[in-house]
PDB file of all heavy atoms in Angstrom:
ATOM      1  N   PRO A  45      26.025  29.385  -7.631  1.00 88.00           N
ATOM      2  CA  PRO A  45      26.876  30.574  -7.454  1.00 88.00           C
ATOM      3  C   PRO A  45      26.010  31.785  -7.087  1.00 88.00           C
ATOM      4  O   PRO A  45      24.889  31.923  -7.578  1.00 88.00           O
ATOM      5  CB  PRO A  45      27.508  30.768  -8.829  1.00 88.00           C
ATOM      6  CG  PRO A  45      27.397  29.453  -9.504  1.00 88.00           C
ATOM      7  CD  PRO A  45      26.156  28.812  -8.950  1.00 88.00           C
ATOM      8  N   GLY A  46      26.517  32.621  -6.228  1.00 89.00           N
ATOM      9  CA  GLY A  46      25.767  33.803  -5.816  1.00 89.00           C
ATOM     10  C   GLY A  46      25.670  34.837  -6.924  1.00 89.00           C
ATOM     11  O   GLY A  46      26.486  34.867  -7.840  1.00 89.00           O
ATOM     12  N   GLY A  47      24.638  35.639  -6.841  1.00 95.00           N
ATOM     13  CA  GLY A  47      24.464  36.730  -7.796  1.00 95.00           C
ATOM     14  C   GLY A  47      23.610  36.338  -8.987  1.00 95.00           C
ATOM     15  O   GLY A  47      23.129  35.210  -9.086  1.00 95.00           O
ATOM     16  N   PRO A  48      23.392  37.271  -9.895  1.00 97.00           N
ATOM     17  CA  PRO A  48      22.569  37.019 -11.080  1.00 97.00           C
ATOM     18  C   PRO A  48      23.206  35.954 -11.976  1.00 97.00           C
ATOM     19  O   PRO A  48      24.430  35.878 -12.097  1.00 97.00           O
ATOM     20  CB  PRO A  48      22.527  38.360 -11.804  1.00 97.00           C
ATOM     21  CG  PRO A  48      23.069  39.363 -10.850  1.00 97.00           C
ATOM     22  CD  PRO A  48      23.892  38.641  -9.846  1.00 97.00           C
ATOM     23  N   VAL A  49      22.339  35.143 -12.598  1.00 97.00           N
ATOM     24  CA  VAL A  49      22.794  34.032 -13.428  1.00 97.00           C
ATOM     25  C   VAL A  49      22.138  34.105 -14.800  1.00 97.00           C
ATOM     26  O   VAL A  49      20.937  34.368 -14.922  1.00 97.00           O
ATOM     27  CB  VAL A  49      22.434  32.680 -12.755  1.00 97.00           C
ATOM     28  CG1 VAL A  49      22.691  31.509 -13.680  1.00 97.00           C
ATOM     29  CG2 VAL A  49      23.197  32.512 -11.450  1.00 97.00           C
ATOM     30  N   PHE A  50      22.935  33.852 -15.838  1.00 98.00           N
ATOM     31  CA  PHE A  50      22.446  33.631 -17.199  1.00 98.00           C
ATOM     32  C   PHE A  50      22.758  32.169 -17.486  1.00 98.00           C
ATOM     33  O   PHE A  50      23.919  31.773 -17.560  1.00 98.00           O
ATOM     34  CB  PHE A  50      23.157  34.550 -18.196  1.00 98.00           C
ATOM     35  CG  PHE A  50      22.633  34.429 -19.597  1.00 98.00           C
ATOM     36  CD1 PHE A  50      21.839  35.417 -20.133  1.00 98.00           C
ATOM     37  CD2 PHE A  50      22.945  33.334 -20.383  1.00 98.00           C
ATOM     38  CE1 PHE A  50      21.363  35.323 -21.430  1.00 98.00           C
ATOM     39  CE2 PHE A  50      22.471  33.218 -21.680  1.00 98.00           C
ATOM     40  CZ  PHE A  50      21.679  34.210 -22.200  1.00 98.00           C
ATOM     41  N   ALA A  51      21.720  31.341 -17.620  1.00 98.00           N
ATOM     42  CA  ALA A  51      21.913  29.902 -17.786  1.00 98.00           C
ATOM     43  C   ALA A  51      21.676  29.481 -19.226  1.00 98.00           C
ATOM     44  O   ALA A  51      20.795  30.011 -19.905  1.00 98.00           O
ATOM     45  CB  ALA A  51      20.967  29.144 -16.862  1.00 98.00           C
ATOM     46  N   PHE A  52      22.459  28.517 -19.664  1.00 97.00           N
ATOM     47  CA  PHE A  52      22.239  27.946 -20.990  1.00 97.00           C
ATOM     48  C   PHE A  52      22.405  26.438 -20.914  1.00 97.00           C
ATOM     49  O   PHE A  52      23.095  25.914 -20.039  1.00 97.00           O
ATOM     50  CB  PHE A  52      23.170  28.554 -22.040  1.00 97.00           C
ATOM     51  CG  PHE A  52      24.616  28.159 -21.932  1.00 97.00           C
ATOM     52  CD1 PHE A  52      25.127  27.123 -22.701  1.00 97.00           C
ATOM     53  CD2 PHE A  52      25.473  28.836 -21.079  1.00 97.00           C
ATOM     54  CE1 PHE A  52      26.463  26.769 -22.619  1.00 97.00           C
ATOM     55  CE2 PHE A  52      26.809  28.491 -20.996  1.00 97.00           C
ATOM     56  CZ  PHE A  52      27.309  27.445 -21.769  1.00 97.00           C
ATOM     57  N   ALA A  53      21.738  25.739 -21.846  1.00 96.00           N
ATOM     58  CA  ALA A  53      21.799  24.279 -21.843  1.00 96.00           C
ATOM     59  C   ALA A  53      21.509  23.736 -23.236  1.00 96.00           C
ATOM     60  O   ALA A  53      20.655  24.257 -23.942  1.00 96.00           O
ATOM     61  CB  ALA A  53      20.802  23.709 -20.835  1.00 96.00           C
ATOM     62  N   GLY A  54      22.218  22.683 -23.569  1.00 95.00           N
ATOM     63  CA  GLY A  54      21.986  21.937 -24.794  1.00 95.00           C
ATOM     64  C   GLY A  54      21.721  20.486 -24.426  1.00 95.00           C
ATOM     65  O   GLY A  54      22.515  19.596 -24.721  1.00 95.00           O
ATOM     66  N   ILE A  55      20.611  20.272 -23.718  1.00 92.00           N
ATOM     67  CA  ILE A  55      20.225  18.937 -23.260  1.00 92.00           C
ATOM     68  C   ILE A  55      18.815  18.650 -23.775  1.00 92.00           C
ATOM     69  O   ILE A  55      18.172  19.524 -24.353  1.00 92.00           O
ATOM     70  CB  ILE A  55      20.285  18.842 -21.709  1.00 92.00           C
ATOM     71  CG1 ILE A  55      19.406  19.911 -21.053  1.00 92.00           C
ATOM     72  CG2 ILE A  55      21.733  18.972 -21.232  1.00 92.00           C
ATOM     73  CD1 ILE A  55      19.357  19.839 -19.534  1.00 92.00           C
ATOM     74  N   GLY A  56      18.349  17.441 -23.548  1.00 87.00           N
ATOM     75  CA  GLY A  56      17.051  17.022 -24.074  1.00 87.00           C
ATOM     76  C   GLY A  56      15.899  17.919 -23.669  1.00 87.00           C
ATOM     77  O   GLY A  56      15.056  18.265 -24.495  1.00 87.00           O
TER      78      GLY A  56
END
Side-chain angles (χ1 to χ4, degrees):
V49 171
F50 184 106
F52 71 96
I55 56 177

